[in-house]
Structure formats: C-alpha cells, structure tokens
Amino acid sequence: MEIRFQRLDKSSFNERSLDGFERRQTVRACWRRQNGAWALVRLAYEEGWNLPERRAIAADIARRMAAELSAFGAFHGDQLIGFITVSHALFGRSARYAQLACFQVSAPFRRQGVGRQLFALAAQEARSLGADKLYISSCSAVETLSAYRALGCTAASEINARLAAEEPYDVPLEYSL
C-alpha cells in the first residue's frame, strides 16, 4: 500500500476533505484525576464524527492553515487517511511548547505506521517553529494514551491552563524535541 505524506494547503485540503474519513473509537476505560491521582475508570462509549462534524472540523482547519497552524496529511491515492496539525503560537514558562492541535488516522489505516510518520512531521515542524516540546491535550482513553506513549510522549511537566479548562477530562502530555 503506497501512502503519500505532504504539507496540506488550500490546493490539497478543504471543507470536504474529511468526507470519507472514518473517525471512530470504541472506548472501554479512561484515565481520570481522582483525589489528586490518576485512576483508571471503566467508561464505555463510542466516539465518532458524523458528516456535519467532519465538515466543520475540516473547514476550521482549512481556515486556520498557514496563518495559525501547520497541517500535514497522509493520502492513499486521493483519499486523506490521516492528518496532524501544529499550532504556531508557542507558550510555556519552563519550555517553548507548540501545541499538537489535532491528530487523527482513519480507522482502516491505523496500526500501519501512518500516525508515526505524521507525528514525525509534526515534531519536525515544531522544531522549525522554535519549540522545545510538543504539548498534547490527549483524550483520556486507554488506547489513545497508549498510542502517545508508544510515540515517546510523557506526562506534561507544565499544564496549559486554558487547554485544561477547555477539555477537563483530557490528559496533558508532552514530547521533547
């Protein structure tokens, strides 16, 4: 299977680019903060994006590309099968963080190295922006955190208060560049 990776721009990404994308995840357990410590909690649900959600997300990315964030995609033929975005705004007191804003691989293409290659492109981009670390506000599902840990991510040494308030159940991670 031949997969092509490239920087996304207006000619390769628009509000309909995610129409065929399969964003789905079956969650059985999540990490939650309880009494000041992380605890694994049984919590079963299905997560996914319907067509209006995919189009809204794609439109937001397309609007913000270049000026506010960098985006990279993985293509199988003409089909977008994975994408990742890195915010241009650096933050942090102890390090210069660049936020890994969105990272998705379409369900049929997971566990084939697509995510690892996209993550490498994001890390390279963050370095070129002057960042020391990538900051990830990760979904707390066991599978998602396992995937980030396999990429070398660790608990964030500094918490972005705005992102934590926006997504209180997310787990803050970082990746040293």
Side-chain angles (χ1 to χ4, degrees), residues 36-55:
W38 289 103
L40 191 58
V41 175
R42 294 184 60 80
L43 187 63
Y45 62 93
E46 293 284 327
E47 189 172 64
W49 295 338
N50 61 32
L51 183 59
E53 288 170 320
R54 290 192 308 267
R55 285 189 176 166

Side-chain angles (χ1 to χ4, degrees), residues 25-32 38-45 47 111 138-151 169-171 173:
Q25 182 174 1
T26 301
V27 176
R28 305 232 185 281
C30 293
W31 290 97
R32 293 287 191 259
W38 289 103
L40 191 58
V41 175
R42 294 184 60 80
L43 187 63
Y45 62 93
E47 189 172 64
R111 294 181 180 82
S138 173
C139 166
S140 60
V142 169
E143 301 82 4
T144 303
L145 288 171
S146 293
Y148 277 121
R149 288 195 176 105
L151 291 168
Y169 292 121
D170 278 5
V171 176
L173 301 173

